[in-house]
Amino acid sequence: MKDLAGKHIVLGLTGGIACYKAAELCRSLIKEGATVQVVMTEAAQQFITPVTMQALSNRAVALSQWDARETNNMAHINLSREADAIVIAPCSADFMARLVHGRADDLLSLLCLARPLDKVPLLLAPAMNREMWVHPATRRNVAQLKADGATVLDVGTGDQACGETGDGRMLEPQELVEDLVAFFQPKLLAGHHVLVTAGPTYEAIDPVRGITNLSSGKMGFAVARAAREAGARVTLVAGPVHLPTPRGVQRIDVKSAAEMLAVTVAAAVDATVFVATAAVADWRPAQTAGQKIKKDGSGQPPTLEFVENPDILATVAQSPCARTAELFCVGFAAESEDLLANAQAKRLRKGVPLLVGNIGPATFGQDDNALLLVRADGVESMSRAPKLELARKLIAACAHQISE
Ligand code: CTP
């Protein structure tokens, strides 16, 4: 199921060079299953044509409150009543100022003012020069818009069309879609701090070699994203993986199990939920050679000795806050056979209230997975689905269990 299926979005464009990104945004919203009604101010039409936006949205663009084709001649009412959300992207400094004052002298500002406050959320994606963004007038306007119930999304940082560098770029279309998808998710973990470990660890043999495993980190990254969508503050401790950081998630990159342990224990201090998805290497070389180990010509491979790595999940689960149930710990079990029995035994061994079993070879690197949730009082299976979908269900299950 697409993340915006069934959602009707009014996409408002105001005057700014970031209008060029609105075309891609419109496409991406539709790809995620939304229907999109574009509304453009006169200034927006200086930057991109309604023809482009009509072709992409497959709907005539609404341009004027005086458009007599609306049978009741009330485009502002019709447009604002049928929307699941109004998204202004780009939202110029001028348009923000106009919203603050409740101006209603063009169709877009008029429909924003006419929207039912409790039913139709308004999301703004600001886009402007960095000096305009930090100007006290804009700061005041942003604060006022938030107080009036609008959601003001972040801005990006970097090179600006004017040649300057700083804050104020409009977020990229994919970032905006991710924020909008998150906006619609229920805020089941608002006020919580969720800590997630993800990916493999890498245990160095020498400066150029090491042992690791095939974990891609996808499940852990999906859990981090789902927790963030549910309103939590999220810390993601990631082993070496090549995945983009989910929006709004604080990511700390580590390599070895020892590093992962240190960072995780520190972050666990004020966490309320800990989800250990990492495929931590069970052993590490007893010694890491300072220089590359060379062949000595004897034909004999070097003998490596290994020592066991600390168990991060068990360590955190034994910490005082976990023992007093202030920290809800969730383990994962990557098994190759006998999932139920292994997962039940592992839950007890690790001392956690919830252990999620999955078959390692069927999940490593895949975009989907199947899970078995093992608790003290029973078992729940989640059939094969995309990892993000499963992660959202898992987060909902955690939220349910900690609220009991
Ligand atoms: N785990 C951990 N630290 C370790 C090993 C595992 O935090 N050193 C966590 C994993 O993140 C996962 C759970 O413990 O949440 C189970 O991991 P798994 O590799 O399936 O189990 P092991 O404890 O390694 O047991 P075994 O190798 O016997 O299956």
Side-chain angles (χ1 to χ4, degrees):
M1 171 114 148
K2 293 178 177 175
D3 280 333
L4 294 175
K7 299 287 186 214
H8 181 64
I9 308 298
V10 165
L11 175 61
L13 275 62
T14 69
I17 185 60
C19 275
Y20 81 93
K21 295 187 193 173
E24 184 69 39
L25 174 61
C26 178
R27 247 178 93 82
S28 304
L29 292 171
I30 289 170
K31 267 195 198 158
E32 277 304 336
T35 49
V36 179
Q37 172 63 59
V38 178
V39 182
M40 293 172 73
T41 63
E42 231 178 276
Q45 295 168 58
Q46 299 290 323
F47 292 91
I48 187 168
T49 68
V51 176
T52 301
M53 298 309 294
Q54 175 170 354
L56 291 171
S57 64
N58 200 23
R59 282 172 178 243
V61 174
L63 300 170
S64 162
Q65 70 271 40
W66 308 122
D67 186 344
R69 283 174 301 179
E70 291 283 332
T71 44
N72 60 358
N73 221 317
M74 293 191 207
H76 62 298
I77 301 293
N78 305 340
L79 289 166
S80 61
R81 296 306 182 272
E82 59 193 31
D84 288 299
I86 301 170
V87 180
I88 312 291
C91 186
S92 65
D94 177 66
F95 196 74
M96 280 186 178
R98 286 149 54 73
L99 286 176
V100 164
H101 288 280
R103 296 290 297 268
D105 52 1
D106 74 351
L107 178 58
L108 191 56
S109 55
L110 180 58
L111 77 87
C112 287
L113 193 69
R115 87 187 209 277
L117 277 178
D118 53 338
K119 290 203 191 84
V120 183
L122 174 64
L123 291 89
L124 311 174
M128 64 198 73
N129 165 267
R130 66 191 175 114
E131 300 291 0
M132 294 164 76
W133 179 242
V134 295
H135 193 284
T138 306
R139 302 287 88 225
R140 269 197 313 274
N141 289 342
V142 167
Q144 188 58 53
L145 286 164
K146 288 181 180 171
D148 289 349
T151 298
V152 182
L153 301 172
D154 288 340
V155 290
T157 300
D159 293 343
Q160 302 201 309
C162 52
E164 297 179 2
T165 304
D167 291 343
R169 287 167 57 99
M170 188 172 84
L171 293 178
E172 297 305 316
Q174 272 321 309
E175 295 174 317
L176 290 173
V177 171
E178 205 174 315
D179 281 0
L180 187 60
V181 168
F183 180 84
F184 284 119
Q185 295 298 319
K187 302 295 168 235
L188 300 172
L189 287 180
H192 282 270
H193 175 200
V194 177
L195 172 63
V196 182
T197 61
T201 63
Y202 176 88
E203 313 297 331
I205 294 172
D206 67 19
V208 297
R209 307 184 182 91
I211 52 170
T212 184
N213 59 63
L214 290 174
S215 166
S216 64
K218 286 180 181 171
M219 192 66 219
F221 275 59
V223 169
R225 175 173 170 179
R228 178 70 193 140
E229 287 178 347
R233 173 163 77 85
V234 181
T235 305
L236 172 61
V237 185
V241 294
H242 299 282
L243 292 173
T245 309
R247 301 253 324 129
V249 165
Q250 194 209 350
R251 172 177 177 171
I252 306 173
D253 285 322
V254 296
K255 268 189 165 174
S256 66
E259 279 176 62
M260 187 175 272
L261 175 73
V263 170
T264 305
V265 165
V269 170
D270 65 350
T272 50
V273 179
F274 173 44
V275 187
T277 71
V280 183
D282 288 323
W283 304 281
R284 67 177 184 278
Q287 258 110 38
T288 303
Q291 306 295 333
K292 183 183 174 193
I293 302 172
K294 296 289 216 184
K295 291 193 286 290
D296 62 8
S298 69
Q300 290 298 313
T303 307
L304 296 176
E305 273 182 36
F306 291 93
V307 290
E308 197 168 313
N309 267 328
D311 191 317
I312 300 168
L313 174 60
T315 306
V316 173
Q318 294 311 311
S319 66
C321 43
R323 292 178 74 122
T324 53
E326 284 160 17
L327 174 62
F328 183 75
C329 293
V330 183
F332 266 67
E335 306 296 342
S336 58
E337 55 177 359
D338 218 353
L339 189 54
L340 177 60
N342 278 321
Q344 282 172 326
K346 206 167 271 185
R347 191 187 77 79
L348 295 174
R349 203 167 70 238
K350 304 268 177 178
V352 294
L354 174 59
L355 194 117
V356 183
N358 58 173
I359 297 290
T363 176
F364 280 10
Q366 306 287 317
D367 288 325
D368 53 8
N369 195 4
L371 303 179
L372 188 69
L373 274 57
V374 179
R375 304 183 181 88
D377 60 357
V379 171
E380 179 189 343
S381 68
M382 292 183 180
S383 48
R384 200 151 195 95
K387 287 183 174 172
L388 182 57
E389 200 178 311
L390 293 173
R392 286 180 183 140
K393 285 189 185 161
L394 176 61
I395 286 298
C398 292
H400 180 74
Q401 212 163 327
I402 54 184
S403 68
E404 271 178 351

